[in-house]
Amino acid sequence: MRATRFFGWMLGVALLAGCANYSLGPTGALPFKSLYVAPAQSKAYVPQAQAPVTEFVRQSLLQEGTVTLADQANADATLDIILTDYHRSIAATAQSNTLNARSYILTLVASCTLVNNRTGKVYFKDRLVTASTETYVSESNDFSEPEYQAIPLLARELGRKIKDTVVGTW
């Protein structure tokens, strides 16, 4: 009985000691404190996605709280975003006619480059970040409205993933 209590007590101490140095969040400090997010550019045929992508990247970084946003002249680093690919693929077809799509998977790809403004050191270059979402076609088979409404969702997801790329371990 006494040995069981001793063993239980030692197990509890070992578990607490193992958790003493645990910290939630990114594992290392970033090599920069302030960041300039350049307006996204587009080489892909995606309607009006540059502004929402830029805005959602900035919002995600502000919510993360590990870096501050600054103008280009005062920032330690610059993040450049180029939208390189946008495509849709059929996810489901109509039961009555398999040539009619009922839903699509929309995919947006960005190439990201992060550079130290003081030294010119490239932290990463042309790193691809991809986001996808599914959208449904209305009964009228008009895809333009659902696609237009899906762009902000796609931009938000891409912005979150770009933020994870910037503040994560490289």
Side-chain angles (χ1 to χ4, degrees):
M1 182 75 163
R2 189 175 194 151
T4 306
R5 276 191 198 158
F6 179 73
F7 178 71
W9 184 80
M10 291 302 288
L11 181 63
V13 169
L15 288 173
L16 289 174
C19 297
N21 293 326
Y22 180 79
S23 64
L24 188 63
T27 55
L30 293 172
F32 53 89
K33 296 198 184 317
S34 61
L35 179 67
Y36 171 68
V37 179
Q41 300 174 350
S42 183
K43 292 183 178 178
Y45 179 71
V46 55
Q48 301 175 357
Q50 299 96 312
V53 166
T54 304
E55 183 60 28
F56 284 121
V57 169
R58 289 177 177 159
Q59 285 179 9
S60 294
L61 287 164
L62 287 173
Q63 289 173 352
E64 177 73 20
T66 55
V67 296
T68 58
L69 298 182
D71 58 19
Q72 191 169 20
N74 297 319
D76 296 331
T78 296
L79 175 65
D80 289 309
I81 304 164
I82 300 173
L83 304 178
T84 58
D85 188 27
Y86 172 74
H87 60 272
R88 51 179 101 82
S89 56
I90 296 173
T93 59
Q95 188 175 12
S96 60
N97 183 352
T98 58
L99 294 178
N100 287 341
R102 300 311 306 153
S103 68
Y104 288 92
I105 302 291
L106 304 177
T107 304
L108 183 58
V109 181
S111 174
C112 301
T113 300
L114 183 63
V115 178
N116 184 310
N117 290 344
R118 313 279 185 250
T119 65
K121 177 182 178 182
V122 178
Y123 296 119
F124 56 79
K125 182 173 178 54
D126 299 330
R127 182 159 304 168
L128 296 180
V129 180
T130 303
S132 296
T133 190
E134 187 170 2
T135 188
Y136 300 92
V137 179
S138 65
E139 290 299 321
S140 66
N141 288 329
D142 179 22
F143 183 65
S144 59
E145 185 64 27
E147 182 177 31
Y148 178 76
Q149 292 175 353
I151 294 298
L153 300 173
L154 201 54
R156 181 183 307 128
E157 180 66 15
L158 189 65
R160 185 188 61 77
K161 288 185 173 185
I162 291 172
K163 180 266 304 178
D164 289 344
T165 301
V166 170
V167 301
T169 305
W170 308 317

